[in-house]
Amino acid sequence: MQIKPVEQVSSELVDAAGRLAQQLSPETTLPTAATLKAIIASPGSTLLIAEDEQTAMIMGMATLVVYATPAKLMAVLESVVVDKAARGRGVGQQLVEAAITLAQDAGVKEVSLTSNPTREAANRLYQRLGFKQRQTNIYCYRFNR
């Protein structure tokens, strides 16, 4: 398995991102080529993929977003997902570790993420890698679109 940042959008990437996004959240809007291009064009965003070196199949993805606030440089890890067929083989761990390394290299002091409590294996992984659960309120404002 090779973990690498996406530099170009291909039809294979669009297909894989759609397949993986559906596995992460079935009600999600499928990412388009334009969406993926916007992510990789954004200076603070890195879209990482896990690619099987033998088949070139994309088996997982994650997005690291690094941004500055007046208080500190921050990073958020979003949309970490591994294909059902590849789960339990360390792909998620490799993706998260690669994101942590990128954040550290950027000068970030901590990486935040959220995970649905029903994703038990993912939550165990994050804890095993050193993420600590915060006692916080997370709020979401949704637009009616």
Side-chain angles (χ1 to χ4, degrees):
M1 196 64 54
Q2 178 185 18
I3 309 299
K4 61 184 185 180
V6 174
E7 296 176 356
Q8 283 190 320
V9 174
S10 65
S11 60
E12 292 82 13
L13 175 65
V14 174
D15 292 345
R19 173 177 42 85
L20 292 167
Q22 284 288 289
Q23 291 180 38
L24 182 64
S25 178
E27 67 275 355
T28 192
T29 302
L30 296 180
T32 64
T35 302
L36 296 170
K37 286 177 183 177
I39 293 168
I40 65 173
S42 175
S45 296
T46 303
L47 178 60
L48 294 169
I49 57 169
E51 185 177 78
D52 185 296
E53 292 175 295
Q54 295 172 341
T55 66
M57 184 171 183
I58 297 172
M59 302 304 293
M61 69 179 179
T63 304
L64 179 71
V65 181
V66 176
Y67 61 99
T69 71
K72 60 184 170 181
L73 189 62
M74 301 179 69
V76 177
L77 185 55
E78 289 284 341
S79 302
V80 179
V81 60
V82 174
D83 189 271
K84 290 175 187 175
R87 291 181 187 163
R89 299 189 344 215
V91 176
Q93 180 171 335
Q94 290 179 55
L95 277 166
V96 173
E97 287 174 341
I100 290 170
T101 298
L102 286 172
Q104 188 174 26
D105 291 350
V108 172
K109 300 296 183 210
E110 71 179 42
V111 177
S112 297
L113 61 81
T114 60
S115 184
N116 188 316
T118 62
R119 298 181 66 218
E120 294 175 6
N123 282 279
R124 283 192 305 272
L125 168 67
Y126 302 139
Q127 291 172 19
R128 192 171 68 247
L129 291 177
F131 285 84
K132 304 293 182 209
Q133 189 173 22
R134 285 189 189 160
Q135 295 301 319
T136 186
N137 295 329
I138 297 177
Y139 297 96
C140 177
Y141 183 90
R142 294 186 190 251
F143 295 94
N144 295 325
R145 294 184 192 177

